[in-house]
Amino acid sequence: AGMRVAVVGAGISGLTATKCCLDEGLEPTCFEQSQDIGGLWRYTEHIEAGRPSLYPSVISNTSKEMSAFSDFPYPEDFPVFLPNARLLDYLRHYAKHFSLQEHIKFGTTVVSIRKRPDFATTGQWDVVTEADGKQMSHIFDAVMVCSGNFSEPSLPLHCFPGIERFQGQYFHSRQYKHPDVFQGKRVLVVGMGNSGVDIAVEASRVAKKVTISTGRGAWLLSRVFDHGYPWDMVFNTRLMNLFRNNLPGVLSRRLINYKVNQRFNHENYGLQPENSCQVREPVLNDDLPSYILTGRITIKPGVKEIKNNSVVFHNCPEEEPIDIVVFCTGYNASFPFLEEAVIKVENKHASLYKYVFPTQLQRPTLAVIGLIKPLGAIMPVIELQARWVTRVFKGRKVNMTSLAYQNTVQTGQDFSHLCAKSHFLLKIDCLVYMDKLASFIGAKPNLLRLLVTDPQLALTVFFGPCSAYQYRLEGPGRWEGARQAILTQWDRTLKPTRTRVPASSYS
């Protein structure tokens, strides 16, 4: 029999993990606590405990060509940035195309995952699941944790003195569904991540007034980038990456500063990041600058204290009357089914080799997929993690445990990258990281060889968007359609918007 792998969760990570297991001849069983696939991307009107929650207007921040799995392009008529329902459609097509459904057990919660007594020799796990109130235990050779990190809201109320005497209402962005709660109200949005800005923009269409409070500021990008192309297809290319990573730090920061301030000067809009040398995850929103210009949204510094029905900001003498506070303060990663000893989470970091394998396990038979925040689309990153992990699992069968991995575990080197300040969800340069994982499995494109054998493809791979199809050109998991997918990626991008051709262009 093949190696049995437990996959926790059937969202983006769980689906691609299940598929990668099948590709490698492993036997996956995917446990999903709800009754359907899609994880974060499946909108439900009511909020389910332990499951991520979306608001209906969520649209992907990354374009479809950059967000596609590497061997399964989006249909050409899908919009370039995807409303959540379309993204879910894509995941359903994916699951159907690769027959993933029959490996998923719905309505099944993973209660606990523990090392077996003979773990040091077998690397096996005892997994307890619960369905319909009945518990079952199973033995698995390996585990892929794909439960995501948007289920446990982080609501640090102790950082907001006076919140207990506030007489209006407050809630975490996870509770948000529709803007009608803000009708005619004075709204304060705390935090300037993507959901904070989305919610502020939506609220400002019905609210009396909307204020965003941000301690750190943020770079704001528009989905519609230079010449109207999608931001990530322009920004995430091998050429741009070469510039960003090989220029001296000062120059590289200047370049980024120049680029992000080209459309509007962040300082003039009160958005300039506090410490602009840290490239934080940019916020993607096409409306905010014009909403600030038209006075619909005001940007303020961090909250100093909250009073009965007003709020005081740092460095601002006057208080601001407020009816509703929305805390867009993010999420904590949590693995309630794992013992602390498996993944140590200290001040929000997990000690994970390459963000995937817990460093203190004697055997690399448990992996965490998708606990990462790339500066770009997450799907291709997750998929490469899963491709690498399933090969590590398999290699264990023939004692091919990578020496690099053992050394790292013994000497504890290579963990400097785990200390990105207070960001457990590490902001990574996705291209460098994906190339690294691809080189582990032998799927990194060889540009020099391509330049000789297929110059057109080589130039597209280097100067064009670094889409995931590049990682299917060679090595294990090679896909026949990869070259064609790369050469036609702009056609699929322009098809859904070029819907009216002016008559003059026929003549």
Side-chain angles (χ1 to χ4, degrees):
M3 185 176 187
R4 302 181 59 229
V5 182
V7 177
V8 185
I12 288 175
S13 310
L15 292 172
T16 194
T18 303
K19 175 194 177 282
C20 292
C21 284
L22 295 171
D23 288 348
E24 290 296 339
L26 310 178
E27 293 178 11
T29 306
C30 175
F31 298 107
E32 167 54 49
Q33 59 178 8
S34 72
Q35 296 301 335
D36 200 354
I37 64 166
L40 175 67
W41 289 99
R42 183 162 62 79
Y43 173 75
T44 50
E45 187 58 48
H46 55 287
I47 297 163
E48 300 166 32
R51 211 177 85 71
S53 167
L54 275 186
Y55 38 100
S57 58
V58 170
I59 294 176
S60 70
N61 287 332
T62 51
S63 61
K64 67 175 179 180
E65 286 304 299
M66 302 299 274
S67 311
F69 290 123
S70 59
D71 52 1
F72 197 69
Y74 273 83
E76 55 174 22
D77 55 336
F78 271 44
V80 181
F81 289 95
L82 304 140
N84 55 73
R86 300 310 290 272
L87 208 145
L88 182 60
D89 283 343
Y90 172 76
L91 294 176
R92 292 201 194 290
H93 288 315
Y94 182 76
K96 191 170 174 200
H97 186 262
F98 294 108
S99 317
L100 305 180
Q101 223 83 2
E102 57 247 43
H103 302 276
I104 306 175
K105 295 204 181 321
F106 292 109
T108 307
T109 306
V110 174
V111 181
S112 79
I113 296 178
R114 299 274 180 270
K115 293 184 216 171
R116 303 212 68 214
D118 55 2
F119 181 82
T121 51
T122 63
Q124 289 183 326
W125 298 85
D126 279 319
V127 177
V128 178
T129 59
E130 183 171 318
D132 305 326
K134 287 198 289 292
Q135 291 203 347
M136 278 183 72
S137 36
H138 324 252
I139 297 173
F140 282 99
D141 299 308
V143 175
M144 295 172 92
V145 177
C146 302
S147 49
N149 38 268
F150 293 106
S151 307
E152 191 186 293
S154 163
L155 189 53
L157 291 178
H158 58 275
C159 304
F160 299 93
I163 185 76
E164 64 288 336
R165 59 168 190 265
F166 179 58
Q167 291 176 352
Q169 67 174 126
Y170 66 85
F171 54 88
H172 186 273
S173 57
R174 179 171 190 264
Q175 311 300 125
Y176 173 71
K177 292 288 179 186
H178 303 286
D180 43 12
V181 294
F182 303 128
Q183 192 74 45
K185 299 274 207 290
R186 294 167 298 198
V187 181
L188 171 65
V189 172
V190 176
M192 219 190 118
N194 282 301
S195 53
V197 174
D198 275 357
I199 291 172
V201 162
E202 255 175 52
S204 73
R205 296 181 186 135
V206 296
K208 190 168 180 181
K209 110 180 220 269
V210 175
T211 307
I212 296 178
S213 156
T214 171
R216 295 194 308 206
W219 293 127
L220 190 71
L221 292 183
S222 167
R223 290 184 177 88
V224 185
F225 213 59
D226 299 357
H227 309 292
Y229 294 124
W231 77 273
D232 51 355
M233 292 180 79
V234 178
F235 191 83
N236 283 336
T237 67
R238 290 186 177 276
L239 173 69
M240 289 282 285
N241 204 263
L242 209 60
F243 272 135
R244 282 197 295 270
N245 293 326
N246 294 302
L247 286 173
V250 181
L251 274 178
S252 166
R253 288 196 285 278
R254 279 210 185 131
L255 183 74
I256 288 177
N257 256 306
Y258 167 75
K259 194 73 206 138
V260 292
N261 283 314
Q262 221 176 354
R263 179 161 155 253
F264 67 93
N265 182 326
H266 281 61
E267 213 170 322
N268 297 345
Y269 283 70
L271 298 172
Q272 183 81 10
E274 196 61 43
N275 176 356
S276 57
C277 72
Q278 279 187 309
V279 185
R280 288 188 53 224
E281 189 194 8
V283 172
L284 275 136
N285 193 282
D286 298 273
D287 301 312
L288 185 63
S290 64
Y291 280 34
I292 293 172
L293 271 188
T294 51
R296 295 165 72 160
I297 295 178
T298 313
I299 307 291
K300 290 281 190 173
V303 172
K304 188 171 168 190
E305 70 165 318
I306 293 179
K307 304 199 162 174
N308 291 1
N309 36 31
S310 65
V311 59
V312 183
F313 299 104
H314 288 291
N315 318 333
C316 297
E318 66 283 354
E319 44 190 83
E320 184 130 341
I322 291 291
D323 306 307
I324 296 189
V325 183
V326 188
F327 288 101
C328 300
T329 41
Y331 292 84
N332 294 325
S334 70
F335 309 103
F337 44 82
L338 288 178
E339 357 177 38
E340 260 292 288
V342 175
I343 298 184
K344 291 199 171 61
V345 180
E346 279 145 23
N347 60 30
K348 286 201 173 181
H349 313 305
S351 44
L352 297 171
Y353 175 63
K354 297 287 181 234
Y355 311 121
V356 173
F357 287 104
T359 48
Q360 64 284 359
L361 286 179
Q362 303 111 306
R363 301 213 156 238
T365 56
L366 180 137
V368 180
I369 308 286
L371 197 62
I372 197 156
K373 265 201 175 150
L375 200 63
I378 196 166
M379 284 75 140
V381 179
I382 287 175
E383 182 188 34
L384 268 172
Q385 287 182 333
R387 284 173 71 186
W388 173 46
V389 165
T390 48
R391 293 186 69 76
V392 170
F393 286 173
K394 220 168 104 166
R396 221 191 93 259
K397 282 293 202 219
V398 286
N399 296 329
M400 265 175 34
T401 312
S402 126
L403 287 169
Y405 177 75
Q406 288 176 336
N407 293 345
T408 313
V409 174
Q410 284 154 9
T411 59
Q413 73 213 39
D414 202 10
F415 300 137
S416 51
H417 63 272
L418 289 167
C419 303
K421 292 216 174 47
S422 85
H423 273 287
F424 178 55
L425 298 167
L426 296 135
K427 312 274 188 301
I428 53 149
D429 182 327
C430 44
L431 219 163
V432 174
Y433 179 69
M434 294 202 320
D435 273 355
K436 186 90 200 142
L437 295 188
S439 65
F440 288 163
I441 58 179
K444 184 181 163 190
N446 181 331
L447 282 170
L448 289 175
R449 191 167 66 224
L450 276 181
L451 203 53
V452 178
T453 57
D454 194 339
Q456 182 197 7
L457 181 63
L459 296 173
T460 310
V461 165
F462 183 71
F463 291 103
C466 183
S467 44
Y469 319 125
Q470 297 189 4
Y471 300 108
R472 292 280 179 187
L473 288 168
E474 48 193 86
R478 205 176 144 263
W479 172 51
E480 286 303 310
R483 178 179 188 273
Q484 187 57 20
I486 292 169
L487 296 178
T488 52
Q489 55 197 357
W490 281 108
D491 303 340
R492 283 188 302 280
T493 302
L494 297 172
K495 172 106 191 322
T497 53
R498 275 189 176 166
T499 44
R500 172 190 158 268
V501 183
S504 59
S505 60
Y506 289 125
S507 52

